[in-house]
Amino acid sequence: MAPYISWYSDYTPNTPDEQGVTGIGMLWGADGSPCGSDMTTRLATYESMMSNNTIPSIMFGFYEPDCTCTMSSDMSTSDAATQWESLIAPLAAKGTVLGSPSMCKQYDEDFLTPFKSAIQTDWDVTSIHINKPSLAEAQKDVEYYVQTYGKKVWVSEFACVNDQPSWEPCTDQTQIDQFINDVVSYFEGSDDVVAYGPSNGAGLGDVWPLTDSTTGDLTATGTTYLNAIKGL
């Protein structure tokens, strides 16, 4: 993918640049999150960066604080606001672009509004996750965040998922291929979307992941995505 993408995230604060692709850092969680050793390690890495005056160009935080620890950082709005002001907000004065916490829920979220009311330092771009089964549903996500928070969005994850009434990743390759081509075209043409990238993490079933977990080779889905962005 490297010749055709400009950024990626590995969910750590110090994501390295690789093969000409910019690594985008994220403070996954902080004090107040009960989510264990990974969170603690990432927080320690971030605090070490700050003590060494390592100033990133962009920093996102926190990862899905509105959902439980299974794959999310599980923070209260008050804890998230306190840690945002203590840890992330000081970067704004040093020129870092701040990305909002990314929500687990989508246009049914109820976390960011009280969070925004509790912070003094606003974010610059709203980081969003899109887990929907169609272009129309993806558009609703983007429109909700733009209209509600008045900022452009960075789609830091997207995947083909039937998220209602319960989480069910798409399993039909034809549907997935159509979804990828539709949303890539939409993201590219939208003035509201500053960046986007697919999710390749856990909980997405056997058909969506872009790479084979054993070989690392592109799957049919990964090939579809590569072809979609190669054509831009």
Side-chain angles (χ1 to χ4, degrees), residues 146-222:
V146 171
Q147 293 169 6
T148 303
Y149 300 106
K151 300 179 185 297
K152 295 181 184 294
V153 301
W154 185 304
V155 183
S156 51
E157 290 186 6
F158 75 87
C160 186
V161 175
N162 296 283
D163 68 321
Q164 299 294 336
S166 61
W167 181 276
E168 293 184 11
C170 300
T171 58
D172 181 81
Q173 191 68 58
T174 299
Q175 178 189 8
I176 288 172
D177 293 348
Q178 185 69 55
F179 176 77
I180 289 172
N181 285 299
D182 286 347
V183 297
V184 166
S185 178
Y186 166 60
F187 294 152
E188 286 289 331
S190 174
D191 291 336
D192 293 325
V193 178
V194 298
Y196 64 91
S199 174
N200 199 38
L204 296 172
D206 298 324
V207 186
W208 172 266
L210 281 70
T211 53
D212 185 286
S213 61
T214 301
T215 66
D217 294 334
L218 289 180
T219 62
T221 298

Side-chain angles (χ1 to χ4, degrees), residues 28 60 86 117 196:
W28 191 87
F60 288 99
S86 173
S117 297
Y196 64 91

Side-chain angles (χ1 to χ4, degrees), residues 1-62:
M1 300 267 181
Y4 307 104
I5 61 176
S6 61
W7 73 279
Y8 82 105
S9 172
D10 64 0
Y11 304 92
T12 65
N14 58 343
T15 301
D17 297 346
E18 291 282 357
Q19 301 182 51
V21 180
T22 300
I24 303 298
M26 171 193 299
L27 182 53
W28 191 87
D31 290 345
S33 171
C35 296
S37 59
D38 281 352
M39 188 282 293
T40 303
T41 300
R42 292 168 183 173
L43 176 57
T45 298
Y46 181 82
E47 291 175 330
S48 176
M49 288 170 56
M50 297 304 101
S51 66
N52 292 325
N53 204 34
T54 302
I55 308 303
S57 58
I58 304 170
M59 180 59 65
F60 288 99
F62 302 100

